[in-house]
Amino acid sequence: MVVKVENLKKLYGKFEALKGISFEVEEGEVFSLLGPNGAGKTTTVEILIGLREKSEGKIYYFNKEMEKIDKKIKSVIGVSLQKTELFRELTVIETLKLFRSFYKDGYDPYEVLEKIELVEKEKERVKNLSGGQFQRLVVGLSFINDPKIIFLDEPTTGLDPQSRRKIWDIILEFKDKRKTIFLTTHYMEEAQFLSDRVCIIDNGEIIALDTPQKLIENSNLETIIEIDGVYEKFGKIIGNRTLVETNDPNSLIQKLIENKIENFTVRHPTLEDVFLKLTGKELRD
Ligand SMILES: Nc1ncnc2c1ncn2[C@@H]1O[C@H](COP(=O)(O)OP(=O)(O)OP(=O)(O)O)[C@@H](O)[C@H]1O
């Protein structure tokens, strides 16, 4: 086991942001915390990397309990935070070299430059990078010390699909190297695609934890029909769509057609449907 938490609690004043969560992260897995805004994902990550104090509970790294996250542990973890600030006037390569200089061991900055596909931007100032390029640089910095475990807190939030895909490729490369990745995201398709196990968190509590496939199987959801438009008598209304869960799609489709409803898609359930079933809420923003 790489990281384990037991009954982790965090209070901000009287507000309980984490209500006693427990989980274990195994070596070489992509473990995702999936939950909506405010679920407690950043709080969890920042406690695990030693940026915030826990209120209660136990944290273990490599089977050893840690009262404080010490320097030794910090040297084997990599971190990409949501609101990372970099020196805007430095160039990309200067930034990589600077961060590399903080550690004894690690990657050659030029190798990282290649991995994050910013070779053409080597001499560009950080302030001139696009959102996706900046985020790739942040992810690159998270593994410059060749860490054993990498924490990526919502690394793709706000990025376009192509930039998101590039970050996914970097994450998959880590995975191939058997690195342990602790990812937080509120994109269910990201969690579903990248993760070995997903921990669904809402309001500071874990509501499910398993492989994406098992989470879907155990939800007993069968077929989902998504109708364009609001039809309360058929299912749950999500924005301007209606979601219907059914184990008899054929008769439902017939019913829809009889009601002159033709704009719908039939699909397999996703983690988003699991989340909706467990919480009654949508995962999306
Ligand atoms: N420093 C703080 N003081 C008071 N409340 C806080 C503080 N930081 C976070 N919170 C609250 O704790 C809860 C969990 O926040 P957290 O940032 O961990 O959620 P999150 O799942 O990471 O959400 P997001 O995706 O928006 O970052 C939220 O209700 C948030 O408002």
PDB file of all heavy atoms in Angstrom, residues 193-213:
ATOM      1  N   PHE A 193     -12.328   6.556 -17.716  1.00  0.00           N
ATOM      2  CA  PHE A 193     -11.312   6.190 -18.704  1.00  0.00           C
ATOM      3  C   PHE A 193      -9.956   5.880 -18.059  1.00  0.00           C
ATOM      4  O   PHE A 193      -9.269   4.945 -18.461  1.00  0.00           O
ATOM      5  CB  PHE A 193     -11.172   7.344 -19.717  1.00  0.00           C
ATOM      6  CG  PHE A 193     -10.151   7.100 -20.786  1.00  0.00           C
ATOM      7  CD1 PHE A 193     -10.368   6.117 -21.740  1.00  0.00           C
ATOM      8  CD2 PHE A 193      -8.979   7.836 -20.842  1.00  0.00           C
ATOM      9  CE1 PHE A 193      -9.429   5.880 -22.735  1.00  0.00           C
ATOM     10  CE2 PHE A 193      -8.032   7.605 -21.829  1.00  0.00           C
ATOM     11  CZ  PHE A 193      -8.260   6.633 -22.783  1.00  0.00           C
ATOM     12  N   LEU A 194      -9.570   6.668 -17.053  1.00  0.00           N
ATOM     13  CA  LEU A 194      -8.201   6.562 -16.546  1.00  0.00           C
ATOM     14  C   LEU A 194      -8.025   5.662 -15.331  1.00  0.00           C
ATOM     15  O   LEU A 194      -6.940   5.135 -15.101  1.00  0.00           O
ATOM     16  CB  LEU A 194      -7.681   7.959 -16.152  1.00  0.00           C
ATOM     17  CG  LEU A 194      -7.478   8.982 -17.258  1.00  0.00           C
ATOM     18  CD1 LEU A 194      -7.148  10.333 -16.636  1.00  0.00           C
ATOM     19  CD2 LEU A 194      -6.347   8.562 -18.192  1.00  0.00           C
ATOM     20  N   SER A 195      -9.088   5.486 -14.557  1.00  0.00           N
ATOM     21  CA  SER A 195      -8.884   4.944 -13.212  1.00  0.00           C
ATOM     22  C   SER A 195      -8.939   3.427 -13.119  1.00  0.00           C
ATOM     23  O   SER A 195      -9.748   2.784 -13.779  1.00  0.00           O
ATOM     24  CB  SER A 195      -9.948   5.473 -12.260  1.00  0.00           C
ATOM     25  OG  SER A 195     -10.176   6.826 -12.497  1.00  0.00           O
ATOM     26  N   ASP A 196      -8.105   2.913 -12.226  1.00  0.00           N
ATOM     27  CA  ASP A 196      -8.261   1.519 -11.830  1.00  0.00           C
ATOM     28  C   ASP A 196      -9.384   1.434 -10.810  1.00  0.00           C
ATOM     29  O   ASP A 196     -10.204   0.544 -10.851  1.00  0.00           O
ATOM     30  CB  ASP A 196      -6.959   1.002 -11.210  1.00  0.00           C
ATOM     31  CG  ASP A 196      -5.866   0.958 -12.241  1.00  0.00           C
ATOM     32  OD1 ASP A 196      -6.051   0.247 -13.232  1.00  0.00           O
ATOM     33  OD2 ASP A 196      -4.855   1.664 -12.092  1.00  0.00           O
ATOM     34  N   ARG A 197      -9.379   2.391  -9.867  1.00  0.00           N
ATOM     35  CA  ARG A 197     -10.476   2.432  -8.896  1.00  0.00           C
ATOM     36  C   ARG A 197     -10.938   3.877  -8.715  1.00  0.00           C
ATOM     37  O   ARG A 197     -10.136   4.808  -8.807  1.00  0.00           O
ATOM     38  CB  ARG A 197     -10.034   1.859  -7.558  1.00  0.00           C
ATOM     39  CG  ARG A 197      -9.912   0.330  -7.630  1.00  0.00           C
ATOM     40  CD  ARG A 197      -9.712  -0.262  -6.264  1.00  0.00           C
ATOM     41  NE  ARG A 197      -8.595   0.368  -5.585  1.00  0.00           N
ATOM     42  CZ  ARG A 197      -8.582   0.624  -4.281  1.00  0.00           C
ATOM     43  NH1 ARG A 197      -9.600   0.308  -3.520  1.00  0.00           N
ATOM     44  NH2 ARG A 197      -7.516   1.190  -3.734  1.00  0.00           N
ATOM     45  N   VAL A 198     -12.229   3.994  -8.477  1.00  0.00           N
ATOM     46  CA  VAL A 198     -12.816   5.327  -8.307  1.00  0.00           C
ATOM     47  C   VAL A 198     -13.479   5.390  -6.941  1.00  0.00           C
ATOM     48  O   VAL A 198     -14.224   4.492  -6.551  1.00  0.00           O
ATOM     49  CB  VAL A 198     -13.882   5.590  -9.396  1.00  0.00           C
ATOM     50  CG1 VAL A 198     -14.554   6.941  -9.169  1.00  0.00           C
ATOM     51  CG2 VAL A 198     -13.264   5.546 -10.787  1.00  0.00           C
ATOM     52  N   CYS A 199     -13.191   6.473  -6.243  1.00  0.00           N
ATOM     53  CA  CYS A 199     -13.814   6.707  -4.947  1.00  0.00           C
ATOM     54  C   CYS A 199     -14.770   7.880  -5.149  1.00  0.00           C
ATOM     55  O   CYS A 199     -14.323   8.992  -5.430  1.00  0.00           O
ATOM     56  CB  CYS A 199     -12.697   7.055  -3.962  1.00  0.00           C
ATOM     57  SG  CYS A 199     -13.252   7.445  -2.330  1.00  0.00           S
ATOM     58  N   ILE A 200     -16.058   7.595  -5.062  1.00  0.00           N
ATOM     59  CA  ILE A 200     -17.033   8.673  -5.286  1.00  0.00           C
ATOM     60  C   ILE A 200     -17.290   9.360  -3.958  1.00  0.00           C
ATOM     61  O   ILE A 200     -17.611   8.724  -2.952  1.00  0.00           O
ATOM     62  CB  ILE A 200     -18.359   8.132  -5.878  1.00  0.00           C
ATOM     63  CG1 ILE A 200     -18.086   7.409  -7.205  1.00  0.00           C
ATOM     64  CG2 ILE A 200     -19.342   9.263  -6.089  1.00  0.00           C
ATOM     65  CD1 ILE A 200     -19.335   6.889  -7.896  1.00  0.00           C
ATOM     66  N   ILE A 201     -17.102  10.672  -3.963  1.00  0.00           N
ATOM     67  CA  ILE A 201     -17.198  11.436  -2.726  1.00  0.00           C
ATOM     68  C   ILE A 201     -18.213  12.563  -2.911  1.00  0.00           C
ATOM     69  O   ILE A 201     -18.301  13.171  -3.978  1.00  0.00           O
ATOM     70  CB  ILE A 201     -15.782  11.946  -2.311  1.00  0.00           C
ATOM     71  CG1 ILE A 201     -15.820  12.856  -1.097  1.00  0.00           C
ATOM     72  CG2 ILE A 201     -15.054  12.622  -3.410  1.00  0.00           C
ATOM     73  CD1 ILE A 201     -14.426  13.189  -0.545  1.00  0.00           C
ATOM     74  N   ASP A 202     -19.014  12.772  -1.867  1.00  0.00           N
ATOM     75  CA  ASP A 202     -20.017  13.836  -1.913  1.00  0.00           C
ATOM     76  C   ASP A 202     -20.198  14.367  -0.497  1.00  0.00           C
ATOM     77  O   ASP A 202     -20.290  13.579   0.450  1.00  0.00           O
ATOM     78  CB  ASP A 202     -21.340  13.260  -2.458  1.00  0.00           C
ATOM     79  CG  ASP A 202     -22.360  14.348  -2.726  1.00  0.00           C
ATOM     80  OD1 ASP A 202     -21.958  15.467  -3.084  1.00  0.00           O
ATOM     81  OD2 ASP A 202     -23.564  14.070  -2.567  1.00  0.00           O
ATOM     82  N   ASN A 203     -20.240  15.662  -0.353  1.00  0.00           N
ATOM     83  CA  ASN A 203     -20.421  16.269   0.980  1.00  0.00           C
ATOM     84  C   ASN A 203     -19.492  15.697   2.042  1.00  0.00           C
ATOM     85  O   ASN A 203     -19.909  15.453   3.176  1.00  0.00           O
ATOM     86  CB  ASN A 203     -21.866  16.057   1.478  1.00  0.00           C
ATOM     87  CG  ASN A 203     -22.824  16.937   0.725  1.00  0.00           C
ATOM     88  OD1 ASN A 203     -22.485  18.060   0.366  1.00  0.00           O
ATOM     89  ND2 ASN A 203     -24.009  16.420   0.452  1.00  0.00           N
ATOM     90  N   GLY A 204     -18.241  15.471   1.671  1.00  0.00           N
ATOM     91  CA  GLY A 204     -17.262  15.004   2.662  1.00  0.00           C
ATOM     92  C   GLY A 204     -17.390  13.551   3.067  1.00  0.00           C
ATOM     93  O   GLY A 204     -16.776  13.115   4.035  1.00  0.00           O
ATOM     94  N   GLU A 205     -18.191  12.789   2.302  1.00  0.00           N
ATOM     95  CA  GLU A 205     -18.364  11.367   2.629  1.00  0.00           C
ATOM     96  C   GLU A 205     -18.127  10.513   1.398  1.00  0.00           C
ATOM     97  O   GLU A 205     -18.503  10.921   0.291  1.00  0.00           O
ATOM     98  CB  GLU A 205     -19.791  11.091   3.094  1.00  0.00           C
ATOM     99  CG  GLU A 205     -20.049  11.541   4.506  1.00  0.00           C
ATOM    100  CD  GLU A 205     -21.500  11.309   4.900  1.00  0.00           C
ATOM    101  OE1 GLU A 205     -22.393  11.831   4.213  1.00  0.00           O
ATOM    102  OE2 GLU A 205     -21.718  10.616   5.903  1.00  0.00           O
ATOM    103  N   ILE A 206     -17.578   9.313   1.619  1.00  0.00           N
ATOM    104  CA  ILE A 206     -17.415   8.379   0.503  1.00  0.00           C
ATOM    105  C   ILE A 206     -18.741   7.666   0.298  1.00  0.00           C
ATOM    106  O   ILE A 206     -19.291   7.101   1.242  1.00  0.00           O
ATOM    107  CB  ILE A 206     -16.303   7.366   0.810  1.00  0.00           C
ATOM    108  CG1 ILE A 206     -14.948   8.091   0.834  1.00  0.00           C
ATOM    109  CG2 ILE A 206     -16.278   6.251  -0.244  1.00  0.00           C
ATOM    110  CD1 ILE A 206     -13.780   7.231   1.244  1.00  0.00           C
ATOM    111  N   ILE A 207     -19.238   7.715  -0.935  1.00  0.00           N
ATOM    112  CA  ILE A 207     -20.507   7.020  -1.144  1.00  0.00           C
ATOM    113  C   ILE A 207     -20.318   5.724  -1.937  1.00  0.00           C
ATOM    114  O   ILE A 207     -21.200   4.885  -1.933  1.00  0.00           O
ATOM    115  CB  ILE A 207     -21.586   7.926  -1.768  1.00  0.00           C
ATOM    116  CG1 ILE A 207     -21.070   8.629  -3.010  1.00  0.00           C
ATOM    117  CG2 ILE A 207     -22.060   8.963  -0.775  1.00  0.00           C
ATOM    118  CD1 ILE A 207     -22.136   9.422  -3.704  1.00  0.00           C
ATOM    119  N   ALA A 208     -19.193   5.541  -2.564  1.00  0.00           N
ATOM    120  CA  ALA A 208     -18.902   4.272  -3.237  1.00  0.00           C
ATOM    121  C   ALA A 208     -17.423   4.246  -3.606  1.00  0.00           C
ATOM    122  O   ALA A 208     -16.823   5.295  -3.845  1.00  0.00           O
ATOM    123  CB  ALA A 208     -19.746   4.126  -4.498  1.00  0.00           C
ATOM    124  N   LEU A 209     -16.858   3.044  -3.616  1.00  0.00           N
ATOM    125  CA  LEU A 209     -15.437   2.910  -3.981  1.00  0.00           C
ATOM    126  C   LEU A 209     -15.230   1.547  -4.639  1.00  0.00           C
ATOM    127  O   LEU A 209     -15.457   0.527  -4.010  1.00  0.00           O
ATOM    128  CB  LEU A 209     -14.582   3.021  -2.706  1.00  0.00           C
ATOM    129  CG  LEU A 209     -13.085   3.287  -2.822  1.00  0.00           C
ATOM    130  CD1 LEU A 209     -12.458   3.427  -1.456  1.00  0.00           C
ATOM    131  CD2 LEU A 209     -12.299   2.358  -3.677  1.00  0.00           C
ATOM    132  N   ASP A 210     -14.838   1.564  -5.894  1.00  0.00           N
ATOM    133  CA  ASP A 210     -14.609   0.296  -6.595  1.00  0.00           C
ATOM    134  C   ASP A 210     -14.012   0.580  -7.979  1.00  0.00           C
ATOM    135  O   ASP A 210     -13.772   1.735  -8.330  1.00  0.00           O
ATOM    136  CB  ASP A 210     -15.936  -0.477  -6.740  1.00  0.00           C
ATOM    137  CG  ASP A 210     -15.719  -1.982  -6.589  1.00  0.00           C
ATOM    138  OD1 ASP A 210     -14.679  -2.467  -7.051  1.00  0.00           O
ATOM    139  OD2 ASP A 210     -16.589  -2.636  -6.012  1.00  0.00           O
ATOM    140  N   THR A 211     -13.842  -0.467  -8.769  1.00  0.00           N
ATOM    141  CA  THR A 211     -13.407  -0.239 -10.152  1.00  0.00           C
ATOM    142  C   THR A 211     -14.594   0.392 -10.891  1.00  0.00           C
ATOM    143  O   THR A 211     -15.755   0.156 -10.503  1.00  0.00           O
ATOM    144  CB  THR A 211     -13.049  -1.565 -10.845  1.00  0.00           C
ATOM    145  OG1 THR A 211     -14.234  -2.369 -10.899  1.00  0.00           O
ATOM    146  CG2 THR A 211     -11.969  -2.315 -10.106  1.00  0.00           C
ATOM    147  N   PRO A 212     -14.322   1.169 -11.941  1.00  0.00           N
ATOM    148  CA  PRO A 212     -15.442   1.786 -12.668  1.00  0.00           C
ATOM    149  C   PRO A 212     -16.468   0.741 -13.111  1.00  0.00           C
ATOM    150  O   PRO A 212     -17.676   0.947 -12.964  1.00  0.00           O
ATOM    151  CB  PRO A 212     -14.771   2.441 -13.878  1.00  0.00           C
ATOM    152  CG  PRO A 212     -13.366   2.689 -13.459  1.00  0.00           C
ATOM    153  CD  PRO A 212     -13.024   1.593 -12.495  1.00  0.00           C
ATOM    154  N   GLN A 213     -15.965  -0.392 -13.598  1.00  0.00           N
ATOM    155  CA  GLN A 213     -16.866  -1.440 -14.086  1.00  0.00           C
ATOM    156  C   GLN A 213     -17.765  -1.984 -12.982  1.00  0.00           C
ATOM    157  O   GLN A 213     -18.974  -2.132 -13.151  1.00  0.00           O
ATOM    158  CB  GLN A 213     -16.011  -2.556 -14.669  1.00  0.00           C
ATOM    159  CG  GLN A 213     -16.762  -3.429 -15.627  1.00  0.00           C
ATOM    160  CD  GLN A 213     -15.935  -4.655 -15.969  1.00  0.00           C
ATOM    161  OE1 GLN A 213     -14.725  -4.726 -15.691  1.00  0.00           O
ATOM    162  NE2 GLN A 213     -16.579  -5.628 -16.556  1.00  0.00           N
TER     163      GLN A 213
END
